[in-house]
């Protein structure tokens, strides 16, 4: 087992210098999620305008993998439509299952590929994505109700 | 007691993990199983397997006898007056839920108080929240400092005529504090309250005598004391068990079944609805035989020694924060800590890459994590098959975790 495969430089960079960390004004979609088995938690906030994610923020506490994954995701989904973000989430999950995916589209996220070899850590990497999936369902719900 | 010799009774400990000899420091989560227990399980299924308390064939008699003999071994192990005070359950959680649902829910009323500590494992906390919700009783927490030590004067001041039940851990699974349960039980009884003891971390590690503690209920798990998973124990004083309602209804636990109503068997069988945990109980009985051979006093002594050795070695590791009793104070066989700037998951992954198994997370004690002001922690826990060299390996690996992350972060 090679630790370097897991803790790639770019992961540690996102962990040390998280992008889009913080809180948005009221009115943004907000999802709180925790991993009950380990205590990691994340609050993901998104502004969606005309179906496009125009702003993302997250805050939380967790290990390097969960926080780096959240940071990378926040960059990756900015400017995407909600549908595109969900497609990306599915790609990310496939990568976590060890399936070969087109890594070009994943950008920095590709660095998390090594997590698939550490089964105990996959749920760390997917926490933020779970929050994204839940938030996107809330977008659907609010569209239906309006 | 020779840990290295005892270690040879545990085949699982002989393997390598990630190219390093396994150093198992997670016995507070679950202990490993000696070969005698594994063989007993196989022998039971190969030669005696049948359902118990029914049928008149030979296998049925053998299985019943072995199952009831296990009950006697458990009773003897914790000093219960009678095997009929021993209920086999799935584990500590189920044992405590039985008391909560079958007993406390019927006995408590609005205005009554349940007294507990902020350090309780969720299994000795959430069931009482449920009882409080249904009965209108309230939960009152004993004052506790950050090292987890209770002051008997505080206990005395907290207890009142409103207190109907005190639910307390014997040993904290996070802090390693050993609570003065006997004194707490005496104070509780003075105000007419009953005492439920969570013995999950004490019964496997030290001599525990229910008559000496004078607790009303004691719950513990088989898998933390060399037994198989899926079996646990609820001990209760006879009067309370007789007054307690069954939680499960159906096969095995009934006396007479009419069309509109039924009656139950006697204690403890009325609590063991459905085909009971036969092999598990038999395995637990054999685990108890094994623990007797090792000696509970010796196990306790070894735990205390390892904890003190670990405290000595770990307290000089730069950047390591340790929770629970300080160096030199009594501590059960576990040390919970955080390495500054490195999340416990990351610490655990580095340790695992060197073959060392520890626990990382909130240890099923979220209120305690909040009390300590940390989201999660790492924990190394010991048993009689661990040695000082296991702790040396832990310390060395923590150093390499520090170096690795210092380098990775750059």
């Amino acid at each position: 087992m090679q630790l370097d495969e897991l803790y790639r430089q770019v992961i540690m960079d996102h962990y040390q210098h998280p992008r889009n960390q913080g809180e948005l004004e009221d009115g943004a979609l907000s999802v709180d999620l925790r991993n009950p088995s380990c205590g990691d938690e994340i609050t993901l906030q998104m502004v969606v305008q005309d179906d496009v994610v125009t702003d993302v923020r997250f805050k939380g506490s967790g290990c390097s993998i969960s926080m780096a994954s959240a940071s990378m995701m926040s960059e990756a989904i900015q400017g995407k439509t909600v549908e595109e973000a969900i497609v990306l989430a599915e790609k990310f999950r496939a990568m976590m299952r060890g399936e070969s995916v087109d890594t070009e589209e994943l950008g920095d996220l590709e660095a998390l590929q090594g997590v698939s070899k550490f089964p105990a850590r996959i749920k760390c990497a997917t926490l933020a994505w779970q929050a994204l999936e839940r938030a996107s369902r809330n977008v659907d719900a609010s569209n239906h109700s309006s | 007691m020779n840990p290295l010799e005892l270690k040879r009774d545990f085949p699982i400990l002989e393997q390598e993990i990630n190219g390093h000899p396994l150093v198992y420091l997670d016995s507070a989560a679950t202990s490993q199983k000696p070969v005698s227990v594994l063989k007993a399980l196989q022998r039971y299924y190969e030669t005696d397997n049948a359902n118990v308390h029914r049928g008149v064939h030979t296998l049925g008699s053998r299985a019943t006898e072995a199952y009831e003999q296990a009950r006697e071994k458990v009773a003897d192990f914790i000093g219960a007056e009678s095997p009929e005070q021993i209920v086999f359950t799935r584990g500590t959680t189920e044992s405590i839920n039985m008391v909560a649902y079958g007993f406390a829910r019927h006995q408590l009323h609005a205005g009554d108080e349940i007294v507990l500590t902020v350090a309780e494992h969720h299994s000795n906390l959430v069931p009482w929240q449920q009882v409080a919700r249904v009965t209108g009783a309230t939960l009152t927490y004993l004052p506790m400092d950050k090292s987890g030590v209770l002051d008997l004067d505080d206990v005395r001041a907290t207890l009142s005529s409103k207190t109907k039940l005190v639910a307390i851990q014997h040993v904290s699974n996070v802090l390693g504090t050993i609570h003065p349960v006997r004194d707490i039980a005496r104070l509780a009884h003075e105000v007419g309250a009953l005492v439920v003891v969570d013995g999950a971390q004490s019964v496997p590690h030290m001599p525990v005598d229910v008559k000496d503690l004078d607790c009303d209920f004691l719950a513990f798990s088989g898998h933390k004391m060399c037994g198989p998973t899926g079996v646990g124990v609820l001990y209760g004083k006879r009067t309370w068990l007789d007054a307690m309602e069954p939680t499960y209804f159906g096969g095995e636990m009934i006396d007479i079944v009419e069309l509109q109503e039924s009656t139950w068997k006697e204690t403890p069988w009325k609590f063991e609805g459905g085909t009971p945990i036969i092999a598990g109980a038999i395995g637990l009985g054999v685990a108890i035989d094994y623990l007797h051979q090792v000696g509970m006093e010796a196990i306790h002594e070894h735990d205390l020694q390892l904890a003190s050795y670990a405290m000595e070695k770990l307290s000089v590791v730069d950047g390591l924060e340790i929770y629970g009793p300080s160096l030199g104070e009594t501590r059960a066989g576990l040390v919970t800590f955080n390495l500054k700037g490195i999340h416990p998951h990351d610490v655990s992954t580095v340790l695992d890459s060197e073959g060392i198994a520890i626990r990382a997370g909130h240890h099923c004690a979220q209120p305690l994590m909040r009390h300590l002001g940390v989201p999660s922690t790492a924990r190394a826990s010991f048993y009689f098959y661990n040695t000082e060299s296991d702790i040396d390996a832990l310390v060395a690996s923590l150093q390499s975790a520090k170096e690795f992350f210092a380098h990775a972060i750059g």
Side-chain angles (χ1 to χ4, degrees):
Chain A
M1 166 159 111
Q2 273 304 330
L3 285 177
D4 295 339
E5 277 180 51
L6 180 64
Y7 296 111
R8 301 259 301 272
Q9 206 75 53
V10 57
I11 295 178
M12 297 318 287
D13 181 57
H14 274 269
Y15 179 47
Q16 284 292 92
H17 311 284
R19 329 293 199 253
N20 301 311
Q21 198 178 35
E23 272 177 276
L24 290 170
E25 304 277 302
D26 287 351
L29 274 168
S30 183
V31 169
D32 295 309
L33 210 59
R34 55 187 63 223
N35 180 344
S37 68
C38 65
D40 281 6
E41 30 184 67
I42 186 170
T43 301
L44 179 70
Q45 291 184 304
M46 296 188 336
V47 176
V48 177
Q49 276 172 348
D50 299 329
D51 213 32
V52 172
V53 180
T54 55
D55 210 349
V56 190
R57 291 282 188 284
F58 81 95
K59 63 176 183 143
S61 78
C63 62
S64 57
I65 303 300
S66 71
M67 292 296 109
S69 184
S71 170
M72 291 175 182
M73 182 191 84
S74 73
E75 282 191 318
I77 62 173
Q78 196 105 248
K80 285 199 161 49
T81 66
V82 174
E83 202 178 321
E84 284 165 347
I86 290 305
V87 169
L88 190 68
E90 279 159 13
K91 269 210 175 104
F92 185 78
R93 283 187 183 279
M95 184 171 84
M96 287 299 107
R97 288 192 298 267
E99 293 167 20
S100 62
V101 289
D102 176 12
T103 50
E104 208 161 292
E105 228 178 295
L106 289 166
D108 280 358
L109 287 163
E110 184 262 332
L112 285 162
Q113 199 163 24
V115 179
S116 67
K117 298 198 182 90
F118 292 77
R121 303 301 296 276
I122 292 173
K123 62 184 191 301
C124 308
T126 51
L127 183 66
W129 297 87
Q130 231 180 308
L132 169 67
E133 285 158 345
R134 193 170 293 187
S136 72
R137 282 199 294 274
N138 295 351
V139 176
D140 289 347
S142 59
N143 284 349
H144 280 294
S145 61
S146 61
Chain B
M1 197 189 89
N2 182 344
L4 285 176
E5 219 166 84
L6 293 171
K7 195 173 171 179
R8 284 203 285 272
D9 295 332
F10 295 78
I12 198 171
L13 297 174
E14 283 164 21
Q15 65 186 301
E16 290 201 339
I17 299 284
N18 298 315
H20 299 264
L22 168 62
V23 175
Y24 186 73
L25 297 176
D26 199 17
S27 291
T30 196
S31 76
Q32 296 304 347
K33 325 300 174 197
V35 80
S36 63
V37 169
L38 305 178
K39 278 194 176 151
L41 292 173
Q42 187 168 4
R43 194 171 51 238
Y44 165 72
Y45 282 119
E46 279 179 358
T47 63
D48 300 337
N49 179 50
N51 216 323
V52 293
H53 303 140
R54 66 192 78 167
V56 287
H57 58 72
T58 304
L59 292 186
S61 309
R62 277 195 218 152
T64 305
E65 200 181 317
Y67 181 65
E68 292 303 327
Q69 204 179 30
R71 201 189 302 277
E72 286 168 25
K73 287 180 186 177
V74 173
D76 173 65
F77 188 66
I78 58 166
E81 277 168 7
S82 150
E84 291 169 13
Q85 293 172 282
I86 303 300
V87 183
F88 283 121
T89 66
R90 281 198 301 135
T92 307
T93 300
E94 186 172 87
S95 298
I96 295 173
N97 272 276
M98 273 189 183
V99 181
Y101 276 84
F103 188 77
R105 199 178 55 158
H106 305 290
Q107 305 278 335
L108 268 61
H109 303 98
D112 291 344
E113 285 181 6
I114 301 169
V115 168
L116 60 174
T117 78
V118 73
E120 297 311 315
H121 187 283
H122 295 158
S123 65
N124 196 31
L125 196 161
V126 183
W128 307 120
Q129 291 176 342
Q130 294 303 104
V131 169
R133 208 169 54 97
V134 179
T135 61
T138 51
L139 301 185
T140 304
Y141 288 86
L142 289 167
M144 181 180 256
D145 66 15
K146 286 209 171 173
S147 66
V149 176
L150 292 171
D151 183 328
L152 285 177
D153 287 333
D154 287 338
V155 176
R156 199 176 282 114
T158 307
L159 298 176
S160 74
S161 58
K162 285 188 192 161
T163 314
K164 291 294 178 293
L165 199 137
V166 176
I168 185 151
Q169 55 187 206
H170 196 171
V171 170
S172 164
N173 69 317
V174 175
L175 301 169
T177 333
I178 306 172
H179 297 301
V181 168
R182 189 202 302 144
D183 296 323
I184 293 169
R186 181 172 46 79
L187 295 174
H189 290 151
E190 279 173 16
V191 298
L194 300 187
V195 178
V196 181
V197 175
D198 168 3
Q201 298 296 342
S202 63
V203 175
H205 291 267
M206 61 176 80
V208 171
D209 185 295
V210 289
K211 286 198 297 297
D212 177 52
L213 293 182
D214 197 25
C215 54
D216 297 281
F217 294 99
L218 173 73
F220 56 98
S221 299
H223 70 94
K224 293 191 203 286
M225 51 190 284
C226 297
T229 55
V231 65
V233 171
L234 173 66
Y235 155 87
K237 284 186 180 166
R238 188 72 201 226
T239 324
W240 310 136
L241 287 179
D242 285 345
M244 191 165 109
E245 294 280 335
T247 316
Y248 307 114
F249 302 87
E252 186 73 20
M253 53 77 66
I254 44 78
D255 180 22
I256 295 166
V257 177
E258 305 281 4
L259 286 181
Q260 300 298 333
E261 55 190 328
S262 303
T263 54
W264 324 137
K265 276 184 181 165
E266 296 283 303
T267 305
W269 299 280
K270 68 175 180 181
F271 301 113
E272 297 176 357
T275 294
I277 307 149
I278 309 169
I282 292 169
L284 175 57
V286 175
I288 286 173
D289 294 340
Y290 183 84
L291 292 175
H292 270 308
Q293 271 174 33
V294 181
M296 291 310 293
E297 277 292 352
I299 291 172
H300 183 47
E301 274 306 307
H302 184 69
D303 261 15
L304 295 178
Q305 272 170 26
L306 279 188
S308 122
Y309 182 79
M311 285 297 287
E312 219 174 278
K313 294 286 166 181
L314 290 169
S315 55
V316 295
V317 176
D318 210 26
L320 196 77
E321 184 170 10
I322 299 174
Y323 308 96
S326 324
L327 180 67
E329 288 173 11
T330 305
R331 164 190 281 274
L334 61 91
V335 182
T336 296
F337 55 86
N338 265 322
L339 256 185
K340 195 170 169 234
I342 312 176
H343 192 278
H345 278 173
D346 293 319
V347 173
S348 182
T349 291
V350 176
L351 264 54
D352 184 52
S353 77
E354 300 186 353
I356 301 172
I358 60 157
R359 171 87 190 262
H362 55 53
H363 315 289
C364 301
Q366 289 180 14
L368 177 60
M369 294 295 115
R370 255 170 253 132
H371 184 66
L372 297 173
V374 290
S376 62
T377 57
R379 177 188 70 192
S381 57
F382 322 123
Y383 213 5
F384 52 82
Y385 40 65
N386 290 119
T387 59
E388 290 184 353
S389 72
D390 292 342
I391 291 163
D392 295 339
L394 167 71
V395 173
S397 197
L398 287 172
Q399 296 289 4
S400 52
K402 272 168 60 180
E403 280 158 30
F404 178 82
F405 283 103
H407 176 76
I409 286 166

